[in-house]
Amino acid sequence: MVKRRRIALNYRVNYDFSAGIVIYIQNLIKGFKLLEDSLQPHLTIIYTEDSPIQEVKEIDYPYIDYFKYKPIRKNFFTKAINKISRETIGTNILRRYSFPSHADILYPYFDCDENFFLKRRYYWKPDFQEMYYPQYVSQVEYSYVVENMKRIASNQEYTLILSSQDSFNDFEKFFGPFRNRVKILRFISLLPDISQLNPKQVLMKYGIDKKFFVVSNQFWPHKNHRLVLEAINKIKEKHTDFVVVFTGKQSTYRDREYFSKLQVYINNENMKDHVRFIGFIPREDQLVIMKQSVAVIQPSLFEGWSTVIEDCKALNQYVLVGDLAVNQEQVNKNVRFFNRHSADDLAEQMDNLLTHPVKTESAPYDESIERFKQNLIDVFELEHVHS
């Protein structure tokens, strides 16, 4: 009889908070499904009222159950009882009902009263942008990241999963020497089937009737949308027949005026004819739009491992990306790099593609999928529990 690793996946997210994390967890489940049956772990999905749980159910993973996460209502009584119990027996008596304590691994690990029994903790840190751009996060968030990373680095029982060698270098730089285990899990994009969608109808749906580039980033300050607008401004007189399409929710808790400041710039520079904001759209539509574009633009000032770049690799689509070390680690075909601080450089690259369109080089994605499958086996030690 097969003994399966039991993994609880932390899916307490939604698209408003981070579309990237939602897709990351879904791709993990799709990746586990690609493994041979004897290696597939049993999954418990921890979700909340706002989590897109139906999308997980549609993956139809064979060994799975679900746990709806509800925080304890904290009042004077529960706080007093739990304070006494922690002092006497080391844990809280009052907990959530039937928390999934049977898991071998909770990933990504999060702290709550019921997790004391998990000595082996699998944390995830996609990148260390807070260390380079502390101005884009609150002091509370920055302090939490620093203290949490120090705590992880000091405990040999803990595992930290990173998404790139570049992130590993940063962890070593800021928090080394470390005692914890570190593993690298380079995620991929396992895309939904878009072959039945009519590209012309999708473009018409969003009023896209010119040659276009697309930017598919959340509207967070470090995503560097302003640079793209400045590049558009530099070539809009030469190329009157193109537009840049921006997808994604037009809000962020990190800078609530971020999107409005972009709009002010567009209005002041008379750029409305070259910019199209289409908001948060179905993923299938987003992928069709990316595939039909002149190129996808990924201008971020910082990334851990870009979902957008991975989507482009899976779609075999051309991409213009900022010159981050992690981007150069991630992609080497159908790509041009630009100085992420230079609107002139990006404008030149866009001008070149509009003037001299390029054909993408064939780059099969199968090898990436196979590496990801083996990566899942190694990181979660799936072979170790099978006889």
Side-chain angles (χ1 to χ4, degrees), residues 126-127 132-133 163-170 173 186 298-306 309-310 313 321-332 335 337-341:
D127 60 55
Y132 290 92
Y133 296 99
S163 297
S164 66
Q165 181 62 44
D166 187 59
S167 287
F168 177 90
N169 295 342
D170 282 340
K173 173 182 176 179
R186 296 179 176 89
Q298 171 54 292
S300 293
L301 293 171
F302 209 89
E303 289 287 336
W305 192 262
S306 171
I309 292 177
E310 213 56 44
K313 289 163 63 177
V321 300
D323 55 351
L324 292 166
V326 67
N327 290 344
Q328 296 173 51
E329 177 185 343
Q330 187 173 4
V331 61
N332 56 25
V335 60
F337 296 96
F338 62 88
N339 182 336
R340 63 191 182 278
H341 301 291

Side-chain angles (χ1 to χ4, degrees), residues 80-172:
I81 293 296
N82 281 340
K83 181 180 180 181
I84 294 171
S85 67
R86 284 196 302 272
E87 292 174 350
T88 55
I89 63 175
T91 187
N92 290 332
I93 292 177
L94 300 178
R95 306 174 191 163
R96 299 168 188 84
Y97 175 70
S98 69
F99 191 85
S101 58
H102 56 274
D104 301 311
I105 295 170
L106 168 60
Y107 181 73
Y109 182 85
F110 64 97
D111 291 300
C112 78
D113 295 332
E114 291 71 34
N115 292 343
F116 74 97
F117 56 86
L118 285 173
K119 293 183 178 179
R120 291 186 59 191
R121 300 180 178 182
Y122 277 59
Y123 293 88
W124 177 50
K125 188 78 174 76
D127 60 55
F128 292 90
Q129 59 176 277
E130 301 90 351
M131 308 308 296
Y132 290 92
Y133 296 99
Q135 67 269 31
Y136 292 151
V137 299
S138 68
Q139 183 59 48
V140 171
E141 186 175 350
Y142 177 82
S143 298
Y144 172 80
V145 168
V146 171
E147 293 307 313
N148 198 42
M149 286 298 108
K150 287 180 178 178
R151 181 165 54 85
I152 292 169
S154 66
N155 195 319
Q156 62 186 5
E157 294 289 337
Y158 296 167
T159 297
L160 177 63
I161 296 180
L162 302 172
S163 297
S164 66
Q165 181 62 44
D166 187 59
S167 287
F168 177 90
N169 295 342
D170 282 340
F171 181 61
E172 195 168 42

Side-chain angles (χ1 to χ4, degrees), residues 198-258:
N198 185 313
K200 290 184 179 180
Q201 291 180 354
V202 173
L203 297 183
M204 187 183 305
K205 177 179 176 181
Y206 297 100
I208 305 171
D209 54 4
K210 300 177 182 178
K211 291 182 290 186
F212 69 96
F213 298 89
V214 61
V215 179
S216 286
N217 283 343
Q218 289 183 281
F219 284 87
W220 290 2
H222 75 281
K223 294 297 187 179
N224 209 17
H225 294 84
R226 172 63 180 256
L227 187 85
V228 181
L229 296 182
E230 292 175 1
I232 297 169
N233 201 23
K234 292 177 181 296
I235 63 172
K236 72 178 192 300
E237 301 301 331
K238 179 179 180 180
H239 298 280
T240 60
D241 61 341
F242 85 99
V243 67
V244 176
V245 176
F246 294 84
T247 72
K249 286 188 176 295
Q250 297 158 6
S251 62
T252 171
Y253 68 91
R254 289 183 172 175
D255 183 350
R256 300 195 182 279
E257 297 182 358
Y258 180 72

